[in-house]
C-alpha cells in the first residue's frame, strides 16, 4: 500500500492548470488480474471548491496514460479505463470533503463516492500501470493521458491519496 499525504495540509489547486506529479512511480506492471497482483484500490479525499473548471467536462483528479479519474460539472465522478468508462450517479458535495474509491479486480471495477457504490464496470483495462508509468494529480495540460481531450484539472483540495494492492480477488462487500 502506498499513500501520499501532502504534508500537514492537503494539496490545494487554485486554478485549472495546476498539476502535481503524485510521486507514484511504478517499477513493474500493476496488473489487477487474479493471476497477478489481484484487487487494487485507489482512494482519496476531495474537497471541490468549483465543479466547472472546464465548462464542458468538469475537472481531472488523477490521470496516467491508462486511466483518468475526473468529475463532471454536475458533480458526478467518472473513472475511465480500457474501452469506456463508469460514472457514479452520487454527486460530489461542493465545499465539503468527499471520499472517492475505485476498486478493481481484473477487468471489473467499481466506483464509490461517499460510500455509495455505482454500477459495476466490466470493461476496465486489467493493467492499471505499466512499468515506468507515473500517476499525476490535477491537470493533463498536454493531453498526454487517457481521454486526451479532458485536460483541465480540479479546483479544490486532495488529500490521503492511497493505492492499495491487496492481492485477493474479492470486492469489498460493505
Amino acid at each position: 500500500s502506498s499513500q501520499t499525504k501532502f504534508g500537514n495540509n492537503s494539496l490545494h489547486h487554485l486554478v485549472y492548470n495546476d498539476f502535481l506529479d503524485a510521486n507514484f512511480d511504478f517499477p513493474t506492471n500493476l496488473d489487477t488480474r487474479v493471476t497477478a497482483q489481484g484487487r487494487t484500490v485507489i482512494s482519496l479525499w476531495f474537497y471541490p471548491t468549483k465543479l466547472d473548471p472546464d465548462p464542458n467536462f468538469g475537472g481531472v483528479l488523477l490521470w496516467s496514460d491508462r486511466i483518468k479519474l475526473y468529475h463532471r460539472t454536475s458533480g458526478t465522478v467518472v473513472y475511465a479505463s480500457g474501452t469506456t468508462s463508469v460514472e457514479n450517479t452520487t454527486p460530489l458535495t461542493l465545499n465539503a470533503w468527499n471520499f472517492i474509491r475505485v476498486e478493481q479486480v481484473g477487468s471489473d471495477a467499481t466506483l464509490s463516492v461517499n460510500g455509495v457504490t455505482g454500477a459495476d464496470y466490466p470493461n476496465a483495462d486489467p493493467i492499471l500501470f505499466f512499468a515506468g508509468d507515473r500517476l499525476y494529480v490535477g491537470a493533463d495540460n498536454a493531453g498526454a493521458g487517457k481521454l486526451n481531450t479532458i485536460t483541465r484539472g480540479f479546483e479544490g483540495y486532495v488529500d490521503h491519496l492511497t493505492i492499495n494492492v491487496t492481492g485477493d480477488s474479492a470486492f469489498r462487500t460493505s
Side-chain angles (χ1 to χ4, degrees), residues 34-64:
V34 177
T35 56
Q37 283 95 2
R39 181 169 58 113
T40 300
V41 177
I42 301 172
S43 62
L44 65 130
W45 285 93
F46 176 48
Y47 187 105
T49 57
K50 187 176 183 182
L51 291 176
D52 60 350
D54 181 322
N56 297 313
F57 296 110
V60 176
L61 296 164
L62 307 173
W63 66 274
S64 74

Side-chain angles (χ1 to χ4, degrees), residues 21-140:
D21 175 348
N23 295 322
F24 282 110
D25 291 319
F26 297 88
T28 61
N29 292 356
L30 178 50
D31 187 339
T32 63
R33 289 179 277 216
V34 177
T35 56
Q37 283 95 2
R39 181 169 58 113
T40 300
V41 177
I42 301 172
S43 62
L44 65 130
W45 285 93
F46 176 48
Y47 187 105
T49 57
K50 187 176 183 182
L51 291 176
D52 60 350
D54 181 322
N56 297 313
F57 296 110
V60 176
L61 296 164
L62 307 173
W63 66 274
S64 74
D65 63 337
R66 304 193 54 79
I67 66 166
K68 189 166 276 182
L69 184 66
Y70 65 99
H71 68 80
R72 295 193 187 277
T73 57
S74 64
T76 59
V77 177
V78 179
Y79 173 62
S81 169
T83 59
T84 185
S85 61
V86 63
E87 184 169 353
N88 190 298
T89 58
T90 303
L92 297 165
T93 303
L94 189 63
N95 296 313
W97 283 106
N98 298 267
F99 185 68
I100 300 170
R101 176 184 171 105
V102 175
E103 187 172 1
Q104 187 168 327
V105 178
S107 60
D108 291 322
T110 60
L111 173 62
S112 302
V113 175
N114 294 325
V116 179
T117 302
D120 182 42
Y121 172 48
N123 298 313
D125 189 331
I127 300 176
L128 288 177
F129 302 99
F130 280 127
D133 279 354
R134 181 168 277 186
L135 180 65
Y136 296 90
V137 178
D140 179 6

